[in-house]
Amino acid sequence: EDMATDSRFAHNAGRVEHQDYIYGVIDEWCASLSLAEVLESLSQAGCPAGPIYDAEDMLKDPHFNARELFEQVETPTGLSFKIPAMVPKLSETPGSTRWCGPQVGAHNR
């Protein structure tokens, strides 16, 4: 069935009425393809789309890294990890993390 020519979906009211069906078709289609295939297909159809990143995706993304959106910090105990960097990036006052915060329990009584 071609949803583009289905009269049930010709107007917003019909699409709202049948949204569970529409979402089901979209879910099934997306589940049958890789993320790259979904994005390529949508791009070729002229539909703007992009992935929804989790933290791991952001840390691996070449663009995020080229923009230096994360910085490495070290705790006083030597634990090193990445955190979000200062934004926006300003040429005169770029900003950085000078202190990663108190040790766990430092302010407990």
Side-chain angles (χ1 to χ4, degrees):
E1 176 180 66
D2 187 1
M3 292 174 64
T5 59
D6 189 320
S7 62
R8 294 178 297 171
F9 312 125
H11 301 286
N12 190 54
R15 292 188 294 272
V16 170
E17 181 181 346
H18 300 287
Q19 69 182 345
D20 290 340
Y21 172 77
I22 293 170
Y23 290 148
V25 170
I26 292 170
D27 287 348
E28 188 177 309
W29 177 73
C30 288
S32 72
L33 301 169
S34 70
L35 174 60
E37 292 169 324
V38 169
L39 294 175
E40 177 62 25
S41 182
L42 292 172
S43 176
Q44 289 198 5
C47 181
I52 297 174
Y53 278 174
D54 61 19
E56 185 177 351
D57 295 328
M58 287 185 274
L59 287 167
K60 291 179 180 177
D61 185 279
H63 180 76
F64 279 57
N65 286 297
R67 299 286 303 143
E68 298 177 349
L69 295 179
F70 296 98
E71 62 182 314
Q72 198 79 24
V73 296
E74 190 171 313
T75 67
T77 61
L79 177 65
S80 180
F81 56 96
K82 284 188 175 184
I83 63 169
M86 299 293 167
V87 290
K89 301 283 186 195
L90 305 173
S91 59
E92 298 295 318
T93 55
S96 65
T97 301
R98 296 185 188 126
W99 180 59
C100 64
Q103 292 289 12
V104 174
H107 298 116
N108 294 359
R109 293 182 186 204

